[in-house]
PDB file of all heavy atoms in Angstrom:
ATOM      1  N   VAL A  27    -107.824   6.142 102.340  1.00 79.00           N
ATOM      2  CA  VAL A  27    -106.550   6.824 102.485  1.00 79.00           C
ATOM      3  C   VAL A  27    -106.298   7.042 103.976  1.00 79.00           C
ATOM      4  O   VAL A  27    -107.174   7.509 104.705  1.00 79.00           O
ATOM      5  CB  VAL A  27    -106.562   8.171 101.737  1.00 79.00           C
ATOM      6  CG1 VAL A  27    -105.260   8.909 101.938  1.00 79.00           C
ATOM      7  CG2 VAL A  27    -106.853   7.949 100.267  1.00 79.00           C
ATOM      8  N   GLU A  28    -105.107   6.654 104.446  1.00 81.00           N
ATOM      9  CA  GLU A  28    -104.746   6.854 105.850  1.00 81.00           C
ATOM     10  C   GLU A  28    -104.532   8.344 106.098  1.00 81.00           C
ATOM     11  O   GLU A  28    -103.710   8.984 105.451  1.00 81.00           O
ATOM     12  CB  GLU A  28    -103.459   6.096 106.183  1.00 81.00           C
ATOM     13  CG  GLU A  28    -103.626   4.597 106.214  1.00 81.00           C
ATOM     14  CD  GLU A  28    -104.417   4.127 107.418  1.00 81.00           C
ATOM     15  OE1 GLU A  28    -104.328   4.776 108.477  1.00 81.00           O
ATOM     16  OE2 GLU A  28    -105.143   3.132 107.286  1.00 81.00           O
ATOM     17  N   VAL A  29    -105.294   8.871 107.028  1.00 80.00           N
ATOM     18  CA  VAL A  29    -105.175  10.285 107.382  1.00 80.00           C
ATOM     19  C   VAL A  29    -104.484  10.370 108.736  1.00 80.00           C
ATOM     20  O   VAL A  29    -104.829   9.655 109.671  1.00 80.00           O
ATOM     21  CB  VAL A  29    -106.568  10.941 107.451  1.00 80.00           C
ATOM     22  CG1 VAL A  29    -106.455  12.393 107.863  1.00 80.00           C
ATOM     23  CG2 VAL A  29    -107.277  10.802 106.127  1.00 80.00           C
ATOM     24  N   ALA A  30    -103.491  11.240 108.826  1.00 76.00           N
ATOM     25  CA  ALA A  30    -102.768  11.413 110.087  1.00 76.00           C
ATOM     26  C   ALA A  30    -103.725  11.959 111.140  1.00 76.00           C
ATOM     27  O   ALA A  30    -104.554  12.831 110.852  1.00 76.00           O
ATOM     28  CB  ALA A  30    -101.594  12.364 109.904  1.00 76.00           C
ATOM     29  N   PRO A  31    -103.632  11.443 112.375  1.00 80.00           N
ATOM     30  CA  PRO A  31    -104.536  11.937 113.418  1.00 80.00           C
ATOM     31  C   PRO A  31    -104.251  13.397 113.742  1.00 80.00           C
ATOM     32  O   PRO A  31    -103.109  13.848 113.718  1.00 80.00           O
ATOM     33  CB  PRO A  31    -104.231  11.043 114.617  1.00 80.00           C
ATOM     34  CG  PRO A  31    -102.887  10.494 114.356  1.00 80.00           C
ATOM     35  CD  PRO A  31    -102.732  10.416 112.868  1.00 80.00           C
ATOM     36  N   VAL A  32    -105.315  14.115 114.049  1.00 80.00           N
ATOM     37  CA  VAL A  32    -105.189  15.524 114.412  1.00 80.00           C
ATOM     38  C   VAL A  32    -105.173  15.605 115.931  1.00 80.00           C
ATOM     39  O   VAL A  32    -106.095  15.149 116.604  1.00 80.00           O
ATOM     40  CB  VAL A  32    -106.366  16.342 113.840  1.00 80.00           C
ATOM     41  CG1 VAL A  32    -106.267  17.789 114.274  1.00 80.00           C
ATOM     42  CG2 VAL A  32    -106.399  16.223 112.334  1.00 80.00           C
ATOM     43  N   TYR A  33    -104.099  16.166 116.476  1.00 84.00           N
ATOM     44  CA  TYR A  33    -103.960  16.283 117.922  1.00 84.00           C
ATOM     45  C   TYR A  33    -104.492  17.640 118.372  1.00 84.00           C
ATOM     46  O   TYR A  33    -104.188  18.668 117.777  1.00 84.00           O
ATOM     47  CB  TYR A  33    -102.495  16.108 118.334  1.00 84.00           C
ATOM     48  CG  TYR A  33    -101.970  14.738 118.019  1.00 84.00           C
ATOM     49  CD1 TYR A  33    -101.200  14.499 116.895  1.00 84.00           C
ATOM     50  CD2 TYR A  33    -102.264  13.665 118.839  1.00 84.00           C
ATOM     51  CE1 TYR A  33    -100.744  13.232 116.597  1.00 84.00           C
ATOM     52  CE2 TYR A  33    -101.804  12.395 118.558  1.00 84.00           C
ATOM     53  CZ  TYR A  33    -101.047  12.186 117.433  1.00 84.00           C
ATOM     54  OH  TYR A  33    -100.587  10.922 117.142  1.00 84.00           O
ATOM     55  N   GLU A  34    -105.277  17.626 119.438  1.00 83.00           N
ATOM     56  CA  GLU A  34    -105.870  18.851 119.951  1.00 83.00           C
ATOM     57  C   GLU A  34    -105.192  19.273 121.242  1.00 83.00           C
ATOM     58  O   GLU A  34    -104.636  18.451 121.954  1.00 83.00           O
ATOM     59  CB  GLU A  34    -107.365  18.634 120.206  1.00 83.00           C
ATOM     60  CG  GLU A  34    -108.157  18.353 118.954  1.00 83.00           C
ATOM     61  CD  GLU A  34    -109.636  18.171 119.235  1.00 83.00           C
ATOM     62  OE1 GLU A  34    -110.062  18.424 120.376  1.00 83.00           O
ATOM     63  OE2 GLU A  34    -110.357  17.781 118.302  1.00 83.00           O
ATOM     64  N   ARG A  35    -105.295  20.553 121.534  1.00 84.00           N
ATOM     65  CA  ARG A  35    -104.722  21.096 122.768  1.00 84.00           C
ATOM     66  C   ARG A  35    -105.560  20.617 123.949  1.00 84.00           C
ATOM     67  O   ARG A  35    -106.788  20.719 123.932  1.00 84.00           O
ATOM     68  CB  ARG A  35    -104.736  22.616 122.686  1.00 84.00           C
ATOM     69  CG  ARG A  35    -104.041  23.296 123.832  1.00 84.00           C
ATOM     70  CD  ARG A  35    -103.873  24.781 123.522  1.00 84.00           C
ATOM     71  NE  ARG A  35    -103.036  25.388 124.531  1.00 84.00           N
ATOM     72  CZ  ARG A  35    -103.496  26.221 125.459  1.00 84.00           C
ATOM     73  NH1 ARG A  35    -104.766  26.550 125.496  1.00 84.00           N
ATOM     74  NH2 ARG A  35    -102.661  26.736 126.346  1.00 84.00           N
ATOM     75  N   THR A  36    -104.886  20.074 124.971  1.00 85.00           N
ATOM     76  CA  THR A  36    -105.574  19.549 126.140  1.00 85.00           C
ATOM     77  C   THR A  36    -105.026  20.227 127.386  1.00 85.00           C
ATOM     78  O   THR A  36    -103.886  19.967 127.779  1.00 85.00           O
ATOM     79  CB  THR A  36    -105.372  18.026 126.254  1.00 85.00           C
ATOM     80  OG1 THR A  36    -105.709  17.428 125.013  1.00 85.00           O
ATOM     81  CG2 THR A  36    -106.215  17.446 127.348  1.00 85.00           C
ATOM     82  N   VAL A  37    -105.833  21.105 127.975  1.00 86.00           N
ATOM     83  CA  VAL A  37    -105.426  21.802 129.198  1.00 86.00           C
ATOM     84  C   VAL A  37    -106.591  21.801 130.175  1.00 86.00           C
ATOM     85  O   VAL A  37    -107.760  21.663 129.784  1.00 86.00           O
ATOM     86  CB  VAL A  37    -104.970  23.258 128.920  1.00 86.00           C
ATOM     87  CG1 VAL A  37    -103.699  23.291 128.114  1.00 86.00           C
ATOM     88  CG2 VAL A  37    -106.058  24.032 128.221  1.00 86.00           C
ATOM     89  N   ASP A  38    -106.271  21.967 131.482  1.00 87.00           N
ATOM     90  CA  ASP A  38    -107.327  22.049 132.491  1.00 87.00           C
ATOM     91  C   ASP A  38    -107.768  23.507 132.642  1.00 87.00           C
ATOM     92  O   ASP A  38    -107.323  24.393 131.896  1.00 87.00           O
ATOM     93  CB  ASP A  38    -106.860  21.431 133.811  1.00 87.00           C
ATOM     94  CG  ASP A  38    -105.667  22.143 134.418  1.00 87.00           C
ATOM     95  OD1 ASP A  38    -105.222  23.168 133.858  1.00 87.00           O
ATOM     96  OD2 ASP A  38    -105.163  21.682 135.457  1.00 87.00           O
TER      97      ASP A  38
END
Side-chain angles (χ1 to χ4, degrees):
V27 177
E28 289 288 328
V29 178
V32 177
Y33 296 100
E34 295 181 9
R35 186 169 188 252
T36 309
V37 293
D38 62 3

